């Protein structure tokens, strides 16, 4: 994880304001570097280019400082991401240096140069955002991976100046408002004379298609065991990339008992399945932190007549989290699992709200805030542990997780039909409607979620990784026929969202949403977890509608300055 800032202006070098500097340092606490350059065109005017990178070092033996700079060509590279593979080949060591090398060997002054640069970027598997100044052609290339798993915002000033940054900045004045860079293309700035031309380049690879085939006959059986086995194989490979070989002692507070990996742990199906598979990958003596967040919600407490002391333990995600924690400890007793109970008082959530709103911007709805608030405090990792001696729990003790890599289950619902609207689509139009709904959800996942989540969670010097959004895994998932992903079947009733289903006695009794993932959990011994139903984070952690007067607020309502 890194922070990127780039600016171009006619009259002077534009540096980030102090708020933006602090945000860049927070994203990348291991290194911070400024590099200035100028472009002299045919006219007397010149353009002032400023490149800044901060670095969170997670790969390679040493800290790779950025921006990367070639003194001969004067080209510059700022990289924020993880290139797991390039052209299908796994990348070992530092990925930023590897991609920089590939970009440097692009054919100089050749008509194929731009095509080569596009190819290099299109063949990367992994989350990334980048700024690459190709000085010989006076061109700045920039963008985000096609899913938008890393943040990059653009600001256009009235005087022709422009900035690109990982976080929002007010450098160009109040009249300039940032927007997220589209993931549909690679973008570029071509300098000419004293001005610049903005353009777009298509990705060199095809879009990700979804299998929309329909069955020849009525499907009545569960997804096949072969599909379960294949899913687990692909998910293990994805998790190996994201949980192994994390740089040792990358956090100044790390001790021998510190975790390198933490899981955002609601206790739901998606995250608990990831925890179960990680157990098979990491050495048995390596600790894994399970981060479970719960909020004091005054409206919920008043409505239920609850007392303040029970606010956190009665949160739905806390109840589910403790249940799934107990099950994974039963199934994998050799591992030291730490259940980190992150309890957020109402006063603390209100105190941090202005910061959260700045980080998530330009996303600015009530739903954005309730989701971002839960992710923000979960990523911080500050909570408490219950120590157990002779099977007796002691009083909670304060704890701060030092894991710099956070594993998220995001993407499973979009791939395997986990939302209630997927059941509704099947009820209306069968497998055809379900496939259309899944296609829409997957195609918009970057614009709806990922840039916002990256800005909100990385402010703690943490990197969020999404095993379900691994390129090989989601290609496998998209290629599956829809009846192999979900258990929706003609004539089989779908339970309503509010209906309790109880613990299934056999796989046939499992809820149809995300059936293939449920069967995978069942296969690995997580039978209680396989029964768990989908619950949105803002309701599970109780961040939705916390304040008085918010009872009739809709998630799509725009936040006001006083919100």
């Amino acid at each position: 994880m890194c922070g990127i800032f780039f600016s171009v202006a006619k009259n002077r070098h534009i540096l980030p304001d102090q708020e933006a500097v602090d945000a860049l340092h927070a994203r990348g606490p291991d290194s911070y570097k400024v590099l200035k350059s100028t472009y002299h065109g045919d006219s007397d005017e010149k353009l002032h280019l400023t490149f800044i990178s901060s670095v969170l070092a997670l790969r390679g033996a040493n800290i790779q400082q950025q921006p990367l700079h070639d003194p001969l060509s004067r080209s510059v590279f700022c990289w924020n991401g993880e290139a797991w593979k390039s052209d299908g080949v796994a990348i070992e060591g530092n990925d930023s240096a590897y991609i920089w090398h590939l970009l440097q060997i692009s054919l100089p002054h050749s008509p194929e140069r731009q095509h080569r640069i596009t190819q290099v970027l299109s063949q990367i598997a992994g989350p990334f955002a980048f700024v690459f100044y190709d000085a010989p052609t006076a061109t700045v290339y920039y963008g985000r991976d096609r899913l938008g798993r890393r943040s990059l915002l653009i600001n256009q000033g009235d005087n022709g100046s422009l900035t690109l940054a990982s976080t929002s900045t007010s450098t160009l004045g109040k009249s300039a408002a940032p927007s997220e860079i589209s993931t549909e293309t690679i973008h570029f700035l071509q300098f000419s004379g004293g001005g610049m031309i903005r353009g777009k380049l298509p990705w060199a690879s095809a879009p990700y298609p979804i299998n929309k085939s329909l069955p020849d006959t009525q499907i009545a059986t569960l997804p096949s065991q072969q599909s379960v086995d294949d899913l687990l194989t692909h998910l293990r490979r994805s998790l190996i990339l994201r949980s192994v070989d994390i740089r040792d002692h990358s956090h100044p507070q790390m001790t021998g008992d510190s975790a390198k990996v933490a899981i955002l742990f609601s206790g739901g199906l998606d995250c608990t399945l990831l925890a179960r598979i990680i157990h098979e990958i990491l050495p048995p003596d390596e600790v894994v932190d399970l981060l479970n967040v719960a909020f004091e919600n005054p409206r919920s407490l008043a409505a239920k007549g609850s007392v303040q002391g029970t606010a956190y333990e009665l949160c739905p995600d806390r109840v589910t989290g403790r249940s799934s924690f107990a099950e994974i400890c039963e199934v994998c007793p050799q591992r030291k699992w730490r259940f980190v109970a992150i309890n957020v008082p109402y006063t603390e959530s209100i105190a941090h709200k202005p910061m959260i709103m700045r980080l998530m911007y330009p996303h600015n709805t009530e739903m954005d805030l309730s989701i971002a608030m839960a992710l923000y405090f979960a990523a911080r990792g500050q909570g408490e542990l219950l120590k157990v001696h002779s099977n007796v729990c002691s009083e909670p003790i304060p704890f701060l997780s030092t894991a710099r890599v956070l594993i998220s289950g995001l993407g499973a619902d979009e791939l395997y039909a986990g939302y209630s609207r997927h059941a509704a689509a099947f009820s209306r139009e069968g497998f055809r409607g379900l496939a259309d709904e899944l296609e829409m959800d997957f195609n918009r996942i970057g614009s709806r979620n990922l840039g916002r989540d990256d800005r909100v969670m990385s402010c703690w010097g943490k990197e969020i990784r999404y095993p379900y959004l691994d390129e090989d895994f989601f290609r496998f998932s998209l290629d599956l026929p829809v009846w192999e992903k979900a258990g929706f079947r003609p004539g089989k009733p779908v339970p309503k969202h509010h209906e309790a289903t109880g613990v299934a006695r056999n796989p046939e009794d499992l809820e149809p949403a995300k059936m293939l993932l449920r069967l995978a959990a069942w296969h690995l011994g997580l039978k209680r977890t396989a029964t768990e139903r989908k619950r949105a984070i803002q309701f599970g952690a109780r961040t939705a509608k916390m304040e008085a007067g918010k009872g009739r607020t809709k998630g799509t309502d725009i936040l006001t300055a006083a919100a």
Side-chain angles (χ1 to χ4, degrees):
M1 175 66 65
C2 303
I4 292 174
F5 177 90
F6 164 77
S7 68
V8 54
K10 292 183 178 180
N11 300 322
R12 60 185 176 89
H13 287 283
I14 295 179
L15 293 168
D17 55 27
Q18 189 58 50
E19 189 175 283
V21 170
D22 292 343
L24 291 169
H25 273 294
R27 291 177 64 93
D30 296 327
S31 171
Y32 184 90
K33 184 178 175 183
V34 180
L35 190 152
K36 296 179 180 180
S37 181
T38 56
Y39 165 75
H40 296 267
D42 297 332
S43 65
D44 293 335
E45 292 190 47
K46 61 182 180 180
L47 297 175
H48 297 76
L49 313 180
T50 306
F51 304 86
I52 301 177
S53 284
S54 62
V55 176
L56 176 71
L58 295 173
R59 297 175 68 178
N62 302 304
I63 297 174
Q64 176 63 68
Q65 288 193 333
Q66 294 191 48
L68 293 160
H69 176 239
D70 177 23
L72 294 179
S73 68
R74 298 178 61 242
S75 295
V76 182
F77 185 47
C78 300
W79 171 259
N80 168 28
E82 298 289 355
W84 303 117
K85 297 179 182 178
S86 174
D87 199 15
V89 178
I91 297 174
E92 297 182 359
N94 188 270
D95 56 324
S96 57
Y98 185 90
I99 300 301
W100 172 230
H101 171 71
L102 293 181
L103 291 170
Q104 282 183 295
I105 61 176
S106 298
L107 300 174
H109 305 292
S110 163
E112 297 295 317
R113 184 185 189 93
Q114 197 171 72
H115 175 69
R116 165 66 180 168
I117 291 171
T118 302
Q119 267 195 326
V120 168
L121 297 168
S122 299
Q123 290 171 351
I124 297 171
F128 63 89
F130 73 96
V131 173
F132 169 49
Y133 176 44
D134 185 37
T137 61
T139 306
V140 175
Y141 297 90
Y142 61 97
R144 307 158 66 201
D145 71 82
R146 291 174 68 167
L147 291 185
R149 289 164 288 187
R150 291 292 177 261
S151 169
L152 191 63
L153 302 175
I154 185 168
N155 260 23
Q156 183 78 55
D158 294 336
N159 57 356
S161 57
L162 179 144
T163 66
L164 301 167
S166 299
T167 60
S168 182
T169 172
S170 57
T171 299
L172 300 184
K174 295 182 179 179
S175 61
S179 60
E180 286 189 328
I181 296 294
S182 167
T183 62
E184 295 178 357
T185 61
I186 297 168
H187 305 258
F188 70 86
L189 296 171
Q190 178 79 56
F191 300 145
S192 178
M196 53 189 171
I197 302 170
R198 290 175 61 178
K200 301 177 181 180
L201 296 169
W203 294 99
S205 53
Y208 309 124
I210 184 172
N211 184 342
K212 301 178 79 170
S213 62
L214 301 176
D216 296 329
T217 59
Q218 183 167 308
I219 302 292
T221 59
L222 292 174
S224 67
Q225 184 59 44
Q226 185 62 55
S227 291
V228 174
D229 294 341
D230 290 345
L231 179 142
L232 289 172
T233 296
H234 281 85
L235 201 49
R236 282 191 188 98
R237 290 172 181 168
S238 172
L239 277 163
I240 287 171
L241 288 174
R242 289 160 175 80
S243 60
V244 175
D245 293 331
I246 298 170
R247 192 168 179 268
D248 286 334
H249 309 297
S250 58
H251 195 291
Q253 298 182 39
M254 283 192 74
T255 66
D257 201 29
S258 295
K260 296 180 185 177
V261 173
I263 299 174
L264 301 178
F265 192 75
S266 67
L269 170 66
D270 310 331
C271 59
T272 310
L273 178 59
L274 295 177
R276 174 65 181 84
I277 298 173
I278 277 180
H279 171 68
E280 300 176 357
I281 295 171
L282 296 181
D285 60 343
E286 193 163 317
V287 182
V288 176
D289 290 342
L290 306 176
L291 308 180
N292 181 274
V293 64
F295 285 74
E296 178 191 9
N297 185 319
R299 290 189 67 257
S300 179
L301 289 173
K304 297 180 180 297
S306 306
V307 297
Q308 188 172 7
T310 64
Y312 308 117
E313 292 303 311
L314 290 179
C315 276
D317 277 2
R318 178 59 51 80
V319 175
T320 305
R322 291 209 183 275
S323 173
S324 295
F325 172 60
E327 183 171 46
I328 204 164
C329 287
E330 294 167 8
V331 175
C332 309
Q334 308 90 340
R335 172 81 49 197
K336 181 176 180 180
W337 305 95
R338 281 195 296 229
F339 186 88
V340 185
I342 300 168
N343 300 330
V344 185
Y346 176 68
T347 53
E348 187 174 14
S349 64
I350 294 302
H352 284 255
K353 189 165 75 166
M355 168 64 78
I356 297 170
M357 290 176 64
R358 285 197 299 271
L359 288 168
M360 72 184 198
Y361 192 81
H363 291 256
N364 64 339
T365 68
E366 290 284 353
M367 182 180 292
D368 286 316
L369 178 60
S370 57
I371 294 172
M373 188 168 285
L375 295 176
Y376 173 87
F377 283 103
R380 184 173 66 168
Q382 180 178 315
E384 57 187 34
L385 300 176
L386 290 177
K387 287 231 170 181
V388 180
H389 299 284
S390 302
N391 295 322
V392 177
C393 289
S394 68
E395 288 295 316
I397 59 171
F399 179 79
L400 175 65
S401 174
T402 56
R404 281 185 156 186
V405 170
L406 306 180
I407 301 295
S408 166
L410 190 144
D413 292 303
E414 289 81 0
L415 290 168
Y416 287 91
Y419 296 119
S420 58
R421 61 176 175 273
H422 296 138
F426 179 80
S427 298
R428 291 193 310 268
E429 302 176 81
F431 288 119
R432 184 187 304 278
L434 177 58
D436 288 343
E437 195 76 18
L438 287 170
E439 181 180 47
M440 180 186 69
D441 271 350
F442 187 77
N443 287 339
R444 67 184 182 180
I445 189 170
S447 61
R448 294 188 69 198
N449 301 65
L450 295 171
R452 174 199 68 201
D453 297 353
D454 175 78
R455 292 188 294 277
V456 167
M457 289 189 279
S458 62
C459 73
W460 300 113
K462 311 287 181 75
E463 178 171 283
I464 187 75
R465 296 180 177 177
Y466 303 101
Y468 292 109
L469 295 181
D470 173 82
E471 278 80 356
D472 289 338
F473 181 81
F474 72 65
R475 284 193 183 101
F476 156 77
S477 303
L478 293 174
D479 195 49
L480 284 172
V482 289
W483 59 89
E484 282 289 282
K485 304 178 193 183
F488 302 119
R489 300 291 183 262
K492 183 177 181 179
V494 178
K496 300 295 184 183
H497 181 72
H498 61 277
E499 293 176 349
T501 55
V503 178
R505 295 185 178 182
N506 55 68
E508 288 76 13
D509 296 333
L510 292 171
E511 181 184 345
K514 295 190 288 193
M515 177 61 81
L516 193 58
L517 294 179
R518 297 183 188 281
L519 292 174
W522 188 279
H523 177 77
L524 295 177
L526 300 174
K527 296 188 175 180
R528 291 201 304 273
T529 297
T531 311
E532 287 298 338
R533 308 199 64 192
K534 166 67 181 176
R535 185 187 300 116
I537 187 172
Q538 65 268 34
F539 301 115
R542 287 189 173 159
T543 56
K545 302 180 181 180
M546 288 199 293
E547 300 173 49
K550 294 284 188 180
R552 296 184 180 180
T553 299
K554 296 180 181 179
T556 55
D557 288 351
I558 301 298
L559 294 166
T560 63

